[in-house]
Amino acid sequence: MKTIKIAIVGLFLMVASATQAQVSINVNIGSPPAWGPAGYAEMEYYYLPDIEAYYDVRASQFIYFGGGRWVRTTYLPRQYRNYDLYGGYKVVLTDYHGRTPYTYFDRHRVKYYKGYHGAPQRPYRPREVYGYNERRNDRRDYRHYDNRNHDKHDKHHDKHDRRDRHDDDHGHGGHGRR
């Protein structure tokens, strides 16, 4: 009797863990890219008129014409590597369900010409910002990582930087409100 109970509990745990794995896989497949237009979470394809390509949301792949055939890749081709996916217009194809949206490429190309912009779009998630803003409030001195040759002007900057740090330590800094 005890063996049967242990077997049932083991079977229950196995089914529960398999169900959990199934749920986590299904949640991640087909989620819109961060740069995709907000409000269209259930769509399958976008047409990108500026580069005459498609994006398959479910497969997370770009579809473009290259080398005499339609190609599916996870990245844009080299000639469009600097294309701004956040800034470019995305036509949400609401009337197509299948595997080959390029079947209607001739229609899409005419209707949604290069430079086409319909209603204003917001991205699914905001663009991540890198650069200056990350260190804006960071008080550390990063100059010792600079590999360039230092000249006589660096001594002038060092003197002012020491004075600014001294003022900041005593609440007299020249930054912000007093």
Side-chain angles (χ1 to χ4, degrees):
M1 186 71 171
K2 188 175 182 180
T3 308
I4 293 174
K5 288 181 182 178
I6 291 173
I8 290 173
V9 169
L11 183 63
F12 176 74
L13 291 174
M14 216 165 58
V15 169
S17 67
T19 304
Q20 179 67 25
Q22 176 98 19
V23 169
S24 66
I25 289 171
N26 287 339
V27 168
N28 293 330
I29 293 176
S31 60
W35 50 263
Y40 300 99
E42 302 300 318
M43 291 298 119
E44 295 179 48
Y45 295 99
Y46 308 139
Y47 176 64
L48 309 170
D50 293 335
I51 58 174
E52 295 182 335
Y54 296 90
Y55 183 76
D56 183 339
V57 176
R58 291 176 299 156
S60 299
Q61 292 180 327
F62 293 95
I63 306 168
Y64 64 91
F65 194 77
R69 62 186 178 91
W70 287 94
V71 180
R72 286 178 166 267
T73 62
T74 52
Y75 299 101
L76 285 171
R78 175 171 290 158
Q79 66 265 29
Y80 298 118
R81 68 176 167 238
N82 293 325
Y83 179 70
D84 180 13
L85 290 165
Y86 278 91
Y89 196 80
K90 281 77 62 182
V91 176
V92 179
L93 301 180
T94 58
D95 58 349
Y96 180 78
H97 305 285
R99 296 257 320 133
T100 56
Y102 47 84
T103 302
Y104 301 104
F105 176 67
D106 290 336
R107 287 187 211 163
H108 295 150
R109 191 169 161 197
V110 171
K111 187 173 182 180
Y112 310 113
Y113 49 89
K114 286 186 178 187
Y116 173 85
H117 286 279
Q121 295 178 329
R122 282 185 2 257
Y124 185 68
R125 285 191 306 269
R127 181 189 311 249
E128 291 185 22
V129 179
Y130 298 103
Y132 177 74
N133 291 335
E134 292 176 357
R135 290 199 236 164
R136 181 176 57 206
N137 296 321
D138 192 352
R139 304 298 285 176
R140 288 179 281 177
D141 184 5
Y142 287 93
R143 275 178 289 139
H144 64 278
Y145 293 110
D146 190 1
N147 292 329
R148 68 186 160 96
N149 293 329
H150 298 286
D151 61 8
K152 63 183 179 183
H153 297 293
D154 287 340
K155 291 178 184 173
H156 175 73
H157 291 299
D158 287 343
K159 185 171 86 175
H160 286 288
D161 287 346
R162 266 187 258 120
R163 187 180 317 138
D164 288 344
R165 279 195 296 267
H166 177 73
D167 289 347
D168 286 347
D169 291 340
H170 297 292
H172 304 295
H175 304 287
R177 297 163 74 174
R178 294 184 191 194

